[in-house]
Amino acid sequence: MTNDTADREYLKLKKLLVIILFSFIGVFSYFFLDILRYADISANTDQEIFVVVPPGQRFSLTSEQLHQAGIIKNPYKFRLLARIKGHDKKIKAGEYRLSSAMSPNEILDIMAKGKVFLCKLTLPEGYDLHQIASTVAKLGLGSEKEFLAAATDTDFIHEKGINAWTFEGYLFPDTYYFPKGVTAKKMISTLVSRFWSVFTPEWKEQAEKLKLSVHQVVTLASIIEKETGVAAERPVISSVFHNRLKKRMRLQSDPTVIYGIKDFNGNITRKHLKTLTPYNTYKIKGLPPGPIANPGAESIKSALWPADTSYLYFVSKKDSTHKFSKTLKDHNRAVRKYQLSK
């Protein structure tokens, strides 16, 4: 073979390699641009669903799951995009609220950052342990049984700095946000942390001035919470209980009696009032052994700073307010007027 022939063959080969290279670059560029276009185009519907990604699930299964749910159109392109972005190994387990109106880029960013769906847990003032456990279960955040087991775990309770046998009174009423799969202990820890953030050092000093422990303050606050129909009456109701405690009179609070009744049907009777339980303040002297509900900040403040009154009695006027009295004679008169009259 002459040198001229060899040169021509070399040039042909070089030209072929250049063509192949540019063809490869062209094909690669086409697919790369196609993936980039795909990344910002939603499935063009407005379907919203919840997607649960179990721990350890392969990304290929996750992409197929999203495709089957109608959230993405092309699982192959979705996997390729995730690999390009480096997100295929970063998807966090959990429950996600996703929409087919979201672009693949948005979906990947949400799942790679672990922006799981959070359930809104709102706990009203005055809820007790069983009501809170029921609310948790209805939201799908766990079972009542698991929550109550954690709420009565004495080692866990003492670990949180509480000298009691349940968390009753320390699960602060507020609105919280938790992901599905959260443990009962994690929820309780959050609620208790909120309590301690509210119960300030100033409040602890005031409790010491009253010669009451934090537990006694919370117990009294829980009774005030359950007795109060109108917020403005809290300090006055508190004053009644403080005055009775000073005079060593029984508190005679119906809500404490009810708390000590198993399977209470909503109708308190004379028999209930006469039955001795640790919470029947018609039978025991002083405060019951622990809170009967979870009080809010205003009830705790009222327990710490009662109004300055000489009242020893109050009776419901059946309009959410109460008639307060200083003497038993006046109280009996109020009972006849507001409770016994037709």
Side-chain angles (χ1 to χ4, degrees), residues 62-205:
T62 302
S63 61
E64 191 57 40
Q65 184 181 0
L66 295 173
H67 179 239
Q68 292 294 329
I71 298 299
I72 60 172
K73 280 187 174 181
N74 191 317
Y76 172 76
K77 288 183 179 179
F78 189 75
R79 290 195 293 272
L80 193 54
L81 175 64
R83 196 165 295 129
I84 291 170
K85 290 171 68 74
H87 283 355
D88 55 326
K89 303 293 185 185
K90 296 180 180 179
I91 302 301
K92 308 291 192 302
E95 183 179 44
Y96 295 90
R97 187 176 185 173
L98 301 173
S99 168
S100 53
M102 294 175 177
S103 70
N105 255 337
E106 290 176 301
I107 294 168
L108 281 170
D109 285 344
I110 287 170
M111 300 178 80
K113 291 176 181 176
K115 294 182 179 179
V116 296
F117 174 73
L118 299 177
C119 291
K120 182 180 180 181
L121 174 63
T122 299
L123 303 178
E125 296 170 344
Y127 262 28
D128 63 25
L129 279 183
H130 290 274
Q131 289 172 306
I132 293 175
S134 175
T135 303
V136 164
K138 285 174 183 175
L139 285 174
L141 288 171
S143 71
E144 288 188 52
K145 184 178 179 181
E146 289 171 348
F147 190 90
L148 290 172
T152 53
D153 181 337
T154 50
D155 289 339
F156 182 40
I157 295 163
H158 296 156
E159 178 187 313
K160 295 298 177 183
I162 296 168
N163 187 23
W165 53 93
T166 80
F167 278 108
E168 190 78 274
Y170 298 89
L171 304 181
F172 194 77
D174 207 338
T175 295
Y176 302 88
Y177 293 88
F178 293 110
K180 290 288 181 69
V182 65
T183 65
K185 284 191 173 183
K186 174 61 178 174
M187 283 187 281
I188 289 171
S189 293
T190 302
L191 272 57
V192 174
S193 293
R194 180 78 179 104
F195 170 85
W196 287 122
S197 73
V198 171
F199 207 103
T200 63
E202 181 191 5
W203 289 14
K204 288 181 181 178
E205 286 179 19

Side-chain angles (χ1 to χ4, degrees), residues 218-239:
V218 177
T219 300
L220 179 55
S222 72
I223 300 172
I224 295 166
E225 190 73 72
K226 299 300 285 186
E227 289 279 15
T228 307
V230 174
E233 287 190 349
R234 285 189 181 110
V236 185
I237 285 176
S238 177
S239 73

